[in-house]
C-alpha cells in the first residue's frame, strides 16, 4: 500500500461491495463472510448454453446482496465497485477454464445512457477482466437503440424481438476470425447477449463466449441498464 492509497483509505475506508462491512485491508475485494456465504455459481451451475452457439459463464446468482450490490454499482454511482467485480469475474473465467479467447469485449450502453450515468459499467468490468487475464480489450459494438424495459409479461420471443437491432458493429475494430469473450454485468433471458453474439458473428468473429458477474433465474426481473 502506498502513502496515497493509505490516505484515501483513511478518508474512504474500503467496504465490502456486497454487505458494506468495513474491510480489514484495502487490497481485499470483499469480506470473508461474503466470500463464504454469497450465492456463488460453481462448476456446471455457472455455465449456461445460449442459442447463438455460445456459452455464458456467471460468477454469482442474481439474488439478495448481489442484486443490491449491482444496483448500487449501476444506479447509485458506485463505479468503484468494478475493482471488486472485475477480478471476481476473471477468477470465474479461470475457474471455468475459459480458453480460446483472443480479446475481451462488452455489451455497451447507448450514448444517451452513458451521458446520463457517466460510465459504462460493462466496459469497466471488461477492462478489469482484460487486465487480469492479460488479454486486449476491444470496443466491438455500439448500442444504437434503447430497449424498453422488459416486463414480466413478455415471453422469450417478445424479449428477442425487443432487442433485435439494438446493437451495431463498431467499425473501428476488425473482429474477423477473432475468438471473443463478451462481458456484461447480469444475464437474464440471454436475449441481449445473443443479439450481441449475432452481430459479432455477422462481423466475422469466429466464436463468442460470454462472462457475466451474475445470472438471474427465469423468475427474477432485472432492472435493465
Ligand atoms: Zn461482505
Amino acid at each position: 500500500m502506498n502513502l496515497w492509497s493509505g490516505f484515501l483509505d483513511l478518508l474512504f475506508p474500503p467496504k465490502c461491495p456486497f454487505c458494506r462491512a468495513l474491510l480489514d485491508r484495502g487490497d481485499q475485494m470483499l469480506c470473508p463472510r461474503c466470500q463464504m456465504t454469497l450465492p456463488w455459481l460453481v462448476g456446471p451451475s455457472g455455465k449456461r448454453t445460449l442459442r447463438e452457439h455460445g456459452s455464458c459463464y456467471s460468477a454469482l446468482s442474481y439474488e439478495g446482496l448481489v442484486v443490491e450490490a449491482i444496483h448500487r454499482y449501476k444506479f447509485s454511482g458506485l463505479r468503484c465497485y468494478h475493482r471488486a467485480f472485475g477480478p471476481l469475474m476473471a477468477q470465474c473465467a479461470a475457474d471455468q477454464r475459459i480458453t480460446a479467447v483472443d480479446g475481451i469485449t462488452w455489451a455497451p450502453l447507448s450514448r444517451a445512457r452513458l451521458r446520463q450515468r457517466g460510465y459504462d459499467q460493462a466496459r469497466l468490468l471488461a477492462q478489469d477482466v482484460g487486465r487480469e487475464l492479460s488479454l486486449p480489450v476491444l470496443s466491438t459494438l455500439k448500442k444504437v437503440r434503447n430497449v424498453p424495459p422488459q416486463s414480466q409479461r413478455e415471453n422469450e420471443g417478445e424479449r428477442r424481438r425487443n432487442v433485435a437491432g439494438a446493437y451495431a458493429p463498431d467499425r473501428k475494430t476488425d473482429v474477423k476470425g477473432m475468438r471473443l469473450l463478451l462481458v456484461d454485468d447480469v444475464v437474464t433471458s440471454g436475449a441481449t447477449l445473443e443479439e450481441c453474439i449475432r452481430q459479432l458473428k455477422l462481423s466475422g468473429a469466429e466464436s463468442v463466449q460470454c462472462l457475466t458477474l451474475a445470472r438471474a433465474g427465469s423468475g427474477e426481473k432485472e432492472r435493465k441498464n
Side-chain angles (χ1 to χ4, degrees):
M1 187 193 290
N2 64 31
L3 204 61
W4 176 243
S5 67
F7 174 68
L8 284 180
D9 282 358
L10 274 179
L11 278 182
F12 308 104
K15 288 180 183 172
C16 173
F18 296 97
C19 70
R20 292 191 277 182
L22 287 178
L23 295 174
D24 295 338
R25 301 193 320 269
D27 58 346
Q28 278 182 325
M29 291 184 289
L30 68 168
C31 74
R33 186 182 159 85
C34 285
Q35 184 74 57
M36 295 286 290
T37 57
L38 285 179
W40 300 103
L41 297 172
V42 290
S45 71
K47 180 181 178 182
R48 186 164 122 194
T49 304
L50 300 170
R51 281 190 176 189
E52 292 285 338
H53 310 292
S55 297
C56 181
Y57 298 88
S58 307
L60 287 156
S61 174
Y62 189 66
E63 55 187 278
L65 292 178
V66 177
V67 177
E68 293 172 23
I70 292 176
H71 276 195
R72 285 194 295 275
Y73 177 49
K74 289 166 73 171
F75 306 114
S76 301
L78 284 167
R79 63 178 289 167
C80 60
Y81 279 14
H82 74 87
R83 291 189 212 126
F85 294 162
L88 291 179
M89 293 171 73
Q91 185 63 50
C92 170
D95 292 345
Q96 294 283 1
R97 295 190 170 79
I98 301 177
T99 52
V101 178
D102 304 312
I104 310 290
T105 191
W106 69 95
L109 289 182
S110 67
R111 283 173 70 172
R113 184 82 72 215
L114 180 60
R115 253 198 314 275
Q116 189 183 42
R117 182 165 305 161
Y119 57 97
D120 184 327
Q121 75 275 356
R123 179 182 189 158
L124 295 177
L125 298 176
Q127 286 168 337
D128 286 336
V129 171
R131 190 168 47 243
E132 297 279 329
L133 301 181
S134 302
L135 286 165
V137 181
L138 310 160
S139 170
T140 60
L141 294 165
K142 288 177 177 174
K143 192 167 192 187
V144 290
R145 185 168 64 77
N146 258 331
V147 176
Q150 294 176 343
S151 83
Q152 278 167 325
R153 288 195 308 279
E154 283 167 344
N155 61 33
E156 219 180 303
E158 284 171 301
R159 283 173 178 232
R160 222 165 286 282
R161 276 192 294 281
N162 217 354
V163 82
Y167 296 89
D170 182 343
R171 300 276 175 208
K172 291 193 295 291
T173 311
D174 184 6
V175 299
K176 275 194 193 67
M178 289 199 81
R179 300 167 301 175
L180 297 167
L181 184 62
L182 175 67
V183 164
D184 205 357
D185 42 44
V186 182
V187 58
T188 307
S189 69
T192 299
L193 292 176
E194 284 166 2
E195 179 63 12
C196 290
I197 295 175
R198 198 178 68 79
Q199 276 298 338
L200 291 168
K201 289 200 169 166
L202 278 175
S203 301
E206 186 185 306
S207 66
V208 186
Q209 303 180 81
C210 301
L211 177 66
T212 68
L213 178 63
R215 184 181 71 205
S218 52
E220 293 140 353
K221 198 180 157 213
E222 181 208 347
R223 190 172 153 193
K224 287 303 288 179
N225 285 324

